[in-house]
Amino acid sequence: QVQLVESGGGLVQAGGSLRLSCIASGRYAMGWFRQAPGEQRKFAASISWSGGSADYADSVKGRFAISRDNAKNTVYLQMNSLKPEDTAVYYCAARAYSTLTDYYTGLNEYNYWGQGTQVTVSS
C-alpha cells in the first residue's frame, strides 16, 4: 500500500507564498489536486517521474510550480501570488507510469491519494 504524506499547508495573506510537500515511496508519476468547499476536486498540477514533463491548470499557470526530488521521494508544489480563490484542501496523488515522461491530469487516472492539507488565503 502506497502512503502519501503531505505537509506545508496553512494560512497566508493574499499575494503570499506557500510550499507544499508530499512524500511518496516508490516510482510514480505525481499530481496535486485541490478541493474548495462545496466544489469537486480539481486538477492543479502534475509531473512525470523524470521531472522533465509537467502540466498545470490554467487557474494556477504562472503562479504555481511543481517539482520533485526523487532522492528524497518528495514532490513539491510552490505556490506564489496566492489568491483567496486558491483556498482549498490540497491533495497529493500518485500512480504508476508508462514512460518516464508521462504525466496525468485526470482525477480518475490516479490510484493513490494523500490525506490532504488545508491552504487558506485571506484577503
Side-chain angles (χ1 to χ4, degrees), residues 17-33:
S17 298
L18 282 175
R19 188 177 79 160
L20 306 182
S21 299
C22 175
I23 298 175
S25 58
R27 298 168 63 95
Y28 300 101
M30 302 292 294
W32 286 97
F33 290 76

Side-chain angles (χ1 to χ4, degrees), residues 5-102:
V5 181
E6 299 132 331
S7 61
L11 174 64
V12 64
Q13 288 189 331
S17 298
L18 282 175
R19 188 177 79 160
L20 306 182
S21 299
C22 175
I23 298 175
S25 58
R27 298 168 63 95
Y28 300 101
M30 302 292 294
W32 286 97
F33 290 76
R34 61 185 186 177
Q35 187 167 16
E39 296 186 9
Q40 292 185 334
R41 195 172 299 187
K42 297 177 182 177
F43 169 73
S46 61
I47 191 167
S48 61
W49 161 252
S50 68
S53 301
D55 196 15
Y56 299 90
D58 287 344
S59 57
V60 308
K61 202 169 291 184
R63 300 187 298 120
F64 290 12
I66 189 170
S67 62
R68 66 190 303 157
D69 183 342
N70 288 341
K72 296 182 179 179
N73 293 326
T74 303
V75 174
Y76 304 98
L77 186 67
Q78 178 66 45
M79 304 185 295
N80 300 324
S81 302
L82 283 161
K83 305 175 182 179
E85 50 264 44
D86 294 318
T87 295
V89 178
Y90 283 71
Y91 294 91
C92 174
R95 62 156 287 159
Y97 56 86
S98 298
T99 72
L100 296 176
T101 56
D102 282 348

